[in-house]
Amino acid sequence: MSNIGGIAIIDHETERLQNEKFLKFSVEKIGNTIRPEIIPEPPLPEELPYKSLLEIVKNWNPDNVDIPTNFKESLQHFDYGNPIERAIAEKYRNAELPFKLFNISHFNEVSSLWTDAYLLENLPQIKHQSHIELSKSNHFMFWAYKGLRRVTNFVPPTTLVSDMTFSDWFAIAKKADIERLSNSSEHYYFMLGVDKQDNGRSFISRDLKMFSDKSPNFFITSPAAIQCRFGMRGVIAEAHYDAGRNMVAMLKGEKRYIINPPSACSQLGVIADTRHPSYRHSVIDWSDIEQAVSRGFDKVEAIDTIVRTGEVLYIPSYWFHYIVSLKYSIQCNSRSGSPPK
């Protein structure tokens, strides 16, 4: 057992076995208690189990990472290892409806493989494909460097940190869980990505074969870029949408996703200027209840879900998603396939 920044690092094999035991328990728990009753035929989009966004953020403020005891899942949740349920999930995917999957052997294997020791050894090798951002609070608004000069007086909402290594970030993230870091404290977000031509040159595409396979599979229609986000306790990625079918695999920890259909766009304060560095993102602070009330969140449809280790969330094209890292977490996603016209 080694030590980094006062954080004990369990050896690779011991942690891998612990992960496998946890994932087996997780599959049993999900299958027996967490998921809602399966609806075999995809409903119309307007028939999904929405609540008002105001009700969701009032009942569980996004700045609070502790899961309420009365939280109940409403999003359809399918067992990928069951051929019948996998076929139902395919119908939902083709209908462009959100859902979750569990019991996916490939992602469970990657989750077990990516121990702390494994990541600390392999991530420095692809440092040029990663970056770390610093926020003065737990909120992170996306911004693109290439758009900085297109908007007058634009001030980046976060700061790029060039002198921090992954092991530095890792120690901070682990300590945040132990000490229950407050929302008003500085937070760091570690991000990396590999393009679709990576072809196994990095451990990311080599390990995540379901996202890098040259042949179409359930998760991708063709090889696509892979984005990985390493979150620490409380980190919030502000609401936004993406084009392309978005498969999000949770490899460590838990994240809360609040998702909205494309029809909510006009009510979410989305930056529509394509030249803006934060294009496609909402300017509203969803944790500020006064803002939520004044912006009419009581009329915005939303679904609240927690994506746990080993699960995959499907986010259809143009659906909005607001993301909260409930603890140290690793999420990798890939977007492929043309969005509907």
Side-chain angles (χ1 to χ4, degrees):
M1 181 180 292
S2 58
N3 186 290
I4 291 182
I7 305 298
I9 307 301
I10 303 171
D11 67 88
H12 176 81
E13 184 61 17
T14 300
E15 186 179 354
R16 186 186 65 79
L17 293 172
Q18 290 177 348
N19 287 342
E20 289 180 354
K21 183 178 180 181
F22 167 78
L23 287 165
K24 181 179 179 182
F25 168 77
S26 182
V27 167
E28 294 172 351
K29 183 178 179 182
I30 291 167
N32 294 330
T33 63
I34 293 178
R35 59 182 182 157
E37 182 178 352
I38 291 176
I39 301 174
E41 291 301 322
L44 295 172
E46 59 268 25
E47 296 173 340
L48 290 173
Y50 298 117
K51 291 183 178 179
S52 83
L53 183 52
L54 181 60
E55 179 184 356
I56 287 174
V57 298
K58 285 181 72 174
N59 289 345
W60 182 12
N61 191 291
D63 277 341
N64 178 12
V65 298
D66 296 323
I67 302 172
T69 56
N70 62 348
F71 179 81
K72 187 175 181 180
E73 291 281 359
S74 61
L75 190 65
Q76 286 290 282
H77 200 174
F78 304 113
D79 182 348
Y80 185 79
N82 181 319
I84 296 174
E85 293 192 26
R86 185 163 65 244
I88 297 172
E90 187 171 354
K91 290 182 183 180
Y92 274 70
R93 184 200 65 193
N94 294 342
E96 286 287 292
L97 296 176
F99 60 86
K100 291 193 299 185
L101 296 168
F102 70 101
N103 196 21
I104 312 162
S105 59
H106 170 70
F107 291 114
N108 287 346
E109 289 166 4
V110 175
S111 178
S112 294
L113 175 64
W114 284 17
T115 61
D116 295 344
Y118 182 86
L119 295 171
L120 288 164
E121 177 184 350
N122 285 278
L123 273 169
Q125 300 174 24
I126 55 172
K127 182 179 179 180
H128 62 288
Q129 295 166 294
S130 66
H131 74 277
I132 297 172
E133 292 184 17
L134 163 66
S135 174
K136 294 180 180 179
S137 70
N138 60 323
H139 288 255
F140 285 75
M141 167 69 88
F142 169 85
W143 59 279
Y145 184 82
K146 63 183 179 180
L148 284 181
R149 297 182 180 179
R150 298 175 184 172
V151 178
T152 304
N153 298 324
F154 175 78
V155 178
T158 61
T159 304
L160 295 178
V161 183
S162 59
D163 59 349
M164 179 179 286
T165 65
F166 174 73
S167 61
D168 293 335
W169 176 89
F170 172 85
I172 293 171
K174 290 287 189 172
K175 189 175 180 181
D177 282 341
I178 295 170
E179 298 184 353
R180 298 180 61 83
L181 187 69
S182 69
N183 303 324
S184 58
S185 300
E186 291 185 343
H187 284 66
Y188 295 86
Y189 204 1
F190 184 90
M191 313 180 197
L192 68 84
V194 297
D195 60 36
K196 62 182 179 181
Q197 286 83 30
D198 194 69
N199 293 326
R201 288 193 293 272
S202 74
F203 79 96
I204 301 293
S205 61
R206 191 164 57 246
D207 294 347
L208 291 169
K209 294 182 176 65
M210 283 293 192
F211 286 162
S212 59
D213 199 333
K214 294 181 179 179
S215 302
N217 59 50
F218 184 96
F219 302 94
I220 59 170
T221 59
S222 60
I226 302 172
Q227 305 296 327
C228 293
R229 300 291 182 259
F230 291 64
M232 60 187 290
R233 174 189 170 89
V235 162
I236 290 175
E238 305 292 6
H240 63 283
Y241 71 85
D242 299 299
R245 294 175 165 181
N246 193 359
M247 291 286 183
V248 181
M250 191 62 55
L251 302 174
K252 297 288 181 185
E254 299 173 334
K255 284 189 175 182
R256 178 189 183 188
Y257 279 74
I258 304 176
I259 57 178
N260 316 91
S263 58
C265 183
S266 63
Q267 299 164 292
L268 293 179
V270 177
I271 297 172
D273 183 354
T274 57
R275 301 170 302 167
H276 197 285
S278 298
Y279 169 61
R280 298 180 293 108
H281 287 68
S282 170
V283 299
I284 305 172
D285 178 358
W286 290 19
S287 63
D288 184 332
I289 302 304
E290 289 187 5
Q291 280 194 52
V293 171
S294 67
R295 292 282 191 156
F297 274 18
D298 59 318
K299 298 180 179 63
V300 178
E301 296 176 321
I303 298 174
D304 198 4
T305 189
I306 298 169
V307 187
R308 297 169 171 83
T309 301
E311 296 181 355
V312 170
L313 169 66
Y314 175 58
I315 305 174
S317 304
Y318 303 124
W319 275 65
F320 290 90
H321 40 293
Y322 178 95
I323 313 164
V324 186
S325 186
L326 302 180
K327 60 173 78 170
Y328 166 75
S329 62
I330 305 175
Q331 155 246 307
C332 293
N333 67 288
S334 188
R335 297 191 297 271
S336 69
S338 300
K341 301 295 184 181

